[in-house]
Amino acid sequence: MSAFLYAATRTPFGRFGGALAGVRPDDLAAAAITSTLDKVPGLDHAAIDDVVWGNANGAGEENRNVGRMAALLAGLPVSVPGTTVNRLCGSSLDAAMAASRAIESGDAEVVLTGGVESMTRAPWVLPKSAKPFPAGDVTAASTTLGWRLVNPRMPKEWTVSLGEANEQLRERFGISRERQDEFAARSHQLADQAWESGFYDDLVVPVEGVGLTRDEGIRAGSTPEVLAGLKPVFRQPERGGTITAGNASPLSDGASAVLLGSEKAAATIGSEPIARIAGRGVMALEPQDFGYAPVEAARRALARAGIGWDQVGAIELNEAFAVQSLACLDAWKVDPGIVNQKGGAIAIGHPLGASGGRILATLAKVLRETGQRYGVAAICIGVGQGLAVVLENCDVTGVAR
């Protein structure tokens, strides 16, 4: 038995402190659920076996199982259960992978997956004191991104900042600042072209009450020359710093949703499937090497799909940083032209829990648009992990269901 992708949408991705700053993450998630289910009007919502939702922070308004909360806010029957999974940046891709396993095992027929993050609204937290009245100062930690309240038993090399980890990756593979800026400029240019051509018109649905109609972080005029003028953020230039605000993904807000089902669920859903989940892969490395983890995750997913890179016609790789994306592409030895053809996270944004759903939905549509049979969606994950999924285009003759 196989699992299939039937429908997907997402909200526009907003800048940190931007147009979506006033929207709670559970409301963002509910908006993505509603817009996705609107694509399958024949589906009785009571037939949804489960909601599996991704979220990375879970420290603020998305606490208390945001998957269940979003389902209730979206008006799903109270009989539809919901759970929230956390694999940091890969959370919504992990949600889809878990749902596909449930479908393949026969435990479920229809599962709604997705993820959400409001990095703007992520709270500051205080460690709880062991005593009622601590004598010293207590420092508030931001939950927006990265390590916080670190266990002192963790080796120092594991807990460097995400940016420093990728500067180390740059040193290891000799990836220049120029290549990073060229990759980043391409991301903005392709994202703008995709929006202008109407590619995202049926994938992105505005949030009610918010005037944002497209991804807020895209800068159509980005060029390598413009990006070259930005200063490194994590290391000083004299220390070899190359990672800037321009060649790394921004802090973002947004939600995505993907409806999965079995083959026979087509009658229940009321539409034909778009793509088949053909393979899955997961990999873990030293925490500071997280940017490189998609390399082996994708290879494992391809092996389980029974295909090689020569059969892959499209890749959606989440662009956490230009340098880690380039390191992965160099290792795979693939044609860069098939990668992130509609722009990537550097331009579109990276609301942690929502990005996996975004790349999966985009990949499915790119496969249909190009007529390619197989594609790979892959994502790097903080603390040294990577995930990948192989999709098979159901429109291609000979697809085995």
Side-chain angles (χ1 to χ4, degrees):
M1 186 182 296
S2 293
F4 295 84
L5 188 156
Y6 280 86
T9 64
R10 63 176 176 89
T11 70
F13 285 179
R15 293 178 183 171
F16 185 84
L20 297 179
V23 185
R24 290 173 56 109
D26 46 4
D27 285 328
L28 286 173
I33 290 173
T34 299
S35 61
T36 298
L37 294 179
D38 284 346
K39 284 191 167 185
V40 286
L43 173 64
D44 178 357
H45 296 174
I48 298 171
D49 293 302
D50 205 356
V51 174
V52 185
W53 208 255
N55 178 253
N57 279 328
E61 295 159 333
E62 73 283 81
N63 75 88
R64 298 289 293 169
N65 188 0
V66 69
R68 170 65 170 168
M69 299 302 175
L72 294 172
L73 289 168
L76 296 188
V78 296
S79 59
V80 176
T83 188
T84 301
V85 300
N86 183 351
R87 205 189 286 259
L88 300 180
C89 302
S91 295
S92 53
L93 193 61
D94 202 24
M97 292 168 71
S100 67
R101 295 186 190 103
I103 292 165
E104 290 172 9
S105 70
D107 284 348
E109 293 291 335
V110 181
V111 183
L112 182 64
T113 77
V116 67
E117 211 75 51
S118 176
M119 300 179 80
T120 298
R121 299 175 73 89
W124 291 275
V125 297
L126 290 173
K128 203 165 188 177
S129 173
K131 297 180 180 179
F133 303 104
D137 294 336
V138 179
T139 301
S142 171
T143 63
T144 300
L145 181 69
W147 293 88
R148 81 281 312 225
L149 307 181
V150 179
N151 190 314
R153 296 196 298 115
M154 284 280 186
K156 295 296 184 184
E157 61 270 22
W158 286 2
T159 62
V160 297
S161 72
L162 304 181
E164 171 57 26
N166 277 274
E167 289 286 12
Q168 293 177 16
L169 196 67
R170 174 196 61 76
E171 289 179 321
R172 176 179 168 188
F173 292 105
I175 296 172
S176 68
R177 166 74 185 268
E178 289 72 24
R179 283 189 71 195
Q180 295 176 57
D181 289 343
E182 288 169 2
F183 185 86
R186 173 184 182 269
S187 183
H188 284 279
Q189 292 161 9
L190 290 179
D192 180 63
Q193 292 168 17
W195 271 104
E196 291 298 316
S197 71
F199 176 85
Y200 286 115
D201 288 354
D202 66 344
L203 280 182
V204 180
V205 178
V207 177
E208 186 176 354
V210 178
L212 186 64
T213 58
R214 63 180 260 168
D215 300 311
E216 197 173 14
I218 299 170
R219 295 177 174 84
S222 291
T223 65
E225 293 74 23
V226 169
L227 295 177
L230 299 177
K231 294 181 179 180
V233 175
F234 301 98
R235 287 188 186 180
Q236 294 301 314
E238 57 269 22
R239 292 188 55 235
T242 63
I243 298 175
T244 71
N247 58 34
S249 61
L251 305 179
S252 310
D253 306 329
S256 63
V258 178
L259 183 68
L260 301 180
S262 66
E263 181 183 3
K264 70 178 183 179
T268 301
I269 294 171
S271 67
E272 290 300 306
I274 297 169
R276 181 175 73 91
I277 307 291
R280 297 173 294 260
V282 60
M283 180 61 182
L285 301 170
E286 293 278 323
Q288 69 273 26
D289 294 334
F290 74 94
Y292 200 62
V295 172
E296 182 61 26
R299 288 172 178 164
R300 292 181 180 187
L302 289 169
R304 285 164 185 153
I307 64 170
W309 279 116
D310 60 329
Q311 294 170 271
V312 173
I315 299 171
E316 284 292 320
L317 172 62
N318 191 60
E319 300 167 354
F321 295 83
V323 65
Q324 63 82 207
S325 299
L326 290 165
C328 291
L329 301 187
D330 290 349
W332 291 331
K333 296 180 172 58
V334 295
D335 175 6
I338 70 170
V339 179
N340 298 352
Q341 299 171 59
K342 306 302 178 180
I346 288 173
I348 292 168
H350 180 22
L352 310 178
S355 289
R358 178 191 71 80
I359 62 173
L360 198 62
T362 302
L363 178 64
K365 185 169 183 182
V366 168
L367 289 176
R368 299 191 88 179
E369 184 182 78
T370 61
Q372 295 292 326
R373 181 167 182 170
Y374 292 107
V376 173
I379 195 165
C380 68
I381 301 165
V383 201
Q385 298 191 83
L387 293 176
V389 168
V390 175
L391 286 186
E392 185 177 24
N393 182 1
C394 289
D395 284 350
V396 176
T397 302
V399 169
R401 293 189 185 175

